[in-house]
Amino acid sequence: MSLREELEFAWRLAAEVGGVIRDIAASGDLRVERKADDSPVTIADRRAEQRLREAIEARFPQDGILGEEYGEKASRNDRRWILDPIDGTKSFVHGVPLCGTLVALEQSGVAVLGVISIPLLFELAAAAKGEGAFWWPRLEDPTRADSGHRPARVSSVDRLEAATICLTTPRSMIDPRVARLAERCLRVRGWGDCYGHLLVATGRIEAQLDPAMHVWDNAAVLPLVQEAGGQFSGWDGDPSHLAASAVTTNGFLHEEVLQYLKE
């Protein structure tokens, strides 16, 4: 079954929602609150997810939906959309533009479609199983998403000594496994959250490490990185989007990176 219709729907919707997020950011009225786990949530998180859910329910009423802010709507088939309206809310609250909207489609328990939109940078990438991966380095108008994109492809670096890796949090460096891996690599940076995984999928870095992940963090990342030629797994090697951690690489370095993380 082709996922072309769903893919086009998802990237256009993510681009549209990017406008909602940018407008709220520009207004300065974020209305920051604290959730039960003490993580921040803003009016942009809530409005973005509401718009995502409304559009999906109107277009695919039988499909389930799981979102970080508004929970789960049960599926009446074998499909579930998985949403993170703003991945990196802490960055968003502090005006750091490396936060993103994640839209994924799970079919029969497998993540088959993923979109990562970085609205404050006007950047977007999207992929679906068997349909390839696409990257818009600059997408300001969602109505023009038929142009301005190119294939998304991982890098060809095949030696850790020439590789750049990114970490979501500097606290990861306290982990001796990560510290040993970092010593082998050319450079280590902190461009975290979904932006780091987007950098892997578009060939700008070789690996991104996330020590703690939820399904709405992983689901869009997995098909995008895989369709771009890379690999995804948990730190323990779990290849599912249900993994509790994440490492994405360009594929050439995946097993070697995992050797460090499994030690």
Side-chain angles (χ1 to χ4, degrees):
M1 174 183 173
S2 172
L3 292 167
R4 187 68 189 186
E5 175 190 351
E6 289 85 349
L7 180 59
E8 183 172 348
F9 165 81
W11 81 48
R12 290 185 184 279
L13 178 59
E16 174 196 331
V17 167
V20 174
I21 293 170
R22 285 191 296 273
D23 288 345
I24 294 172
S27 77
D29 183 17
L30 304 186
R31 304 183 206 176
V32 183
E33 299 176 9
R34 292 284 169 179
K35 296 193 282 191
D37 63 358
D38 201 38
S39 63
V41 62
T42 72
I43 189 65
D45 295 83
R46 292 183 172 131
R47 285 188 182 169
E49 184 167 325
Q50 287 168 350
R51 176 58 192 138
L52 291 168
R53 298 176 82 103
E54 288 169 359
I56 292 168
E57 289 174 357
R59 183 73 170 269
F60 304 106
Q62 302 296 314
D63 293 2
I65 303 174
L66 172 64
E68 180 178 8
E69 306 305 335
Y70 290 104
E72 184 155 16
K73 170 200 168 187
S75 172
R76 286 179 277 177
N77 52 31
D78 65 346
R79 305 199 329 170
R80 178 173 70 161
W81 294 84
I82 302 175
L83 312 172
D84 190 345
I86 300 182
D87 181 59
T89 300
K90 292 178 182 178
S91 294
F92 178 70
V93 167
H94 288 89
V96 178
L98 308 183
C99 49
T101 298
L102 304 179
V103 179
L105 176 61
E106 176 192 79
Q107 190 164 286
S108 301
V110 177
V112 296
L113 179 154
V115 178
I116 297 179
S117 168
I118 311 296
L120 301 184
L121 297 180
F122 295 91
E123 187 173 349
L124 186 145
K129 190 173 182 180
E131 298 291 341
F134 307 92
W135 174 35
W136 288 257
R138 188 76 180 176
L139 178 58
E140 299 187 28
D141 182 355
T143 65
R144 302 186 65 182
D146 289 329
S147 62
H149 60 279
R150 65 185 74 167
R153 198 68 192 167
V154 297
S155 79
S156 58
V157 172
D158 59 2
R159 296 184 305 111
L160 282 176
E161 291 79 5
T164 298
I165 66 170
C166 285
L167 311 171
T168 289
T169 170
R171 288 195 297 271
S172 299
M173 287 299 296
I174 299 172
D175 189 318
R177 300 170 297 174
V178 178
R180 286 192 293 270
L181 171 62
E183 288 176 359
R184 284 279 311 280
C185 296
L186 176 64
R187 64 179 64 88
V188 179
R189 295 292 184 264
W191 304 312
D193 300 312
C194 62
Y195 187 67
H197 298 290
L198 174 61
L199 292 177
V200 173
T202 52
R204 291 175 282 177
I205 65 172
E206 282 64 57
Q208 161 77 6
L209 309 181
D210 272 301
M213 298 286 272
H214 299 285
V215 63
W216 47 75
D217 301 315
N218 284 338
V221 169
L222 185 153
L224 175 61
V225 170
Q226 287 183 342
E227 286 293 310
Q231 284 186 252
F232 170 99
S233 75
W235 287 25
D236 60 356
D238 180 355
S240 167
H241 64 293
L242 302 176
S245 56
V247 53
T248 57
T249 73
N250 64 357
F252 298 101
L253 303 173
H254 201 82
E255 291 306 317
E256 193 170 3
V257 170
L258 281 184
Q259 286 176 13
Y260 282 90
L261 299 181
K262 288 180 176 180
E263 287 179 0

